[in-house]
Amino acid sequence: EVQLVQSGAEVKKPGESLRISCKGSGYTFINYWINWVRQVPGKGLEWLGRYDPNDSYTNYSPSFEGHVTISVDKSINTAFLQWSGLKASDSAIYYCARSLKGFGYFDLWGRGTLVTVSS
Amino acid sequence: EKVMTQSPATLSVSPGERATLSCRASQSIGTNLAWYQQKPGQAPRLLIYGASTRATGLPARFSGSGSGAEFTLTISSLQSEDSAVYYCQQYDDWPPWTFGQGTRVEIK
């Protein structure tokens, strides 16, 4: 089955670090970009950035650049989204989604990881 | 950054009737537009890309049209399972790719 499987919900305190994951299966992982999309519960969708597992090239939304880091471990077909200093405003559901290289629409989505940041 | 504006915010339609959702871009995006459906507690699902190409397995009652800055998603005969929030997204210019704020479709 073609799918993206995301890691489980996280509860963190402000200032803490976090890395969440997204494992692709059922398709050739390096042939697609991996994207991360944020959704504050009850609100809309925001694109954070994308990673090309083949050449490691990464693009970030200006709104998120410098605050999150996207990476990939090709050996385990897994992408990561990482924070080094969480803020309460980072509380949201984070989806990974794949896109065909060169295209910006997302044809396969993970089920999402809920991140809660609270003191 | 290209801003996407969807209307209306909420659409209430009777089963079997037509639902028409609009999406406007702040600048021309050609046909680099996608539509997604999101049901409560679920991830978004791709419906349409290239403004008018249906995703694999999508029922024919869903259709997309438009180019430039004005786009439409039409559900020709609304079914109960179509109750959801629908988002448009431009992928013409990046970063960032941007989404509209969503249209909630309710069954009357």
Side-chain angles (χ1 to χ4, degrees):
Chain A
E1 181 185 359
V2 178
Q3 60 182 347
L4 295 170
V5 178
Q6 297 190 232
S7 51
E10 301 274 1
V11 179
K12 291 289 187 179
K13 290 181 167 41
E16 290 186 335
S17 299
L18 175 64
R19 189 177 77 164
I20 62 175
S21 67
C22 167
K23 182 176 177 62
S25 62
Y27 72 96
T28 303
F29 190 71
I30 61 171
N31 286 354
Y32 293 80
W33 292 343
I34 284 287
N35 301 265
W36 288 93
V37 176
R38 182 174 89 168
Q39 185 172 39
V40 174
K43 303 296 185 183
L45 302 166
E46 300 173 276
W47 177 79
L48 279 70
R50 68 96 183 171
Y51 190 103
D52 185 337
N54 193 48
D55 62 13
S56 304
Y57 193 70
T58 313
N59 291 95
Y60 294 95
S61 166
S63 298
F64 295 96
E65 186 154 24
H67 186 55
V68 298
T69 301
I70 299 172
S71 61
V72 159
D73 185 337
K74 287 191 292 186
S75 69
I76 55 172
N77 287 358
T78 301
F80 302 96
L81 180 66
Q82 183 173 326
W83 297 259
S84 58
L86 284 160
K87 305 175 183 178
S89 56
D90 293 321
S91 296
I93 300 170
Y94 292 85
Y95 295 101
C96 60
R98 78 172 192 184
S99 58
L100 274 170
K101 290 190 180 184
F103 294 89
Y105 61 86
F106 313 123
D107 69 338
L108 179 69
W109 293 68
R111 297 182 70 174
T113 295
L114 175 63
V115 174
T116 303
V117 184
S118 174
S119 54
Chain B
E1 173 176 327
K2 293 182 178 174
V3 178
M4 307 302 292
T5 303
Q6 293 185 239
S7 61
T10 303
L11 188 60
S12 186
V13 179
S14 299
E17 296 296 304
R18 177 185 300 262
T20 302
L21 290 67
S22 295
C23 176
R24 172 177 293 180
S26 59
Q27 304 169 55
S28 176
I29 58 170
T31 56
N32 294 310
L33 184 101
W35 289 95
Y36 302 87
Q37 176 194 67
Q38 187 178 34
K39 297 181 178 180
Q42 296 184 16
R45 167 197 176 194
L46 177 68
L47 300 178
I48 301 284
Y49 60 94
S52 61
T53 303
R54 275 193 294 272
T56 303
L58 187 68
R61 65 180 182 274
F62 290 91
S63 63
S65 63
S67 65
E70 300 281 348
F71 301 89
T72 301
L73 175 70
T74 302
I75 310 172
S76 61
S77 177
L78 197 73
Q79 307 296 305
S80 58
E81 62 264 31
D82 300 334
S83 178
V85 179
Y86 292 81
Y87 293 95
C88 63
Q89 178 232 339
Q90 69 82 18
Y91 53 94
D92 180 65
D93 186 25
W94 66 301
W97 290 319
T98 48
F99 294 86
Q101 78 278 22
T103 291
R104 182 177 303 277
V105 174
E106 299 176 341
I107 309 299
K108 195 181 288 186

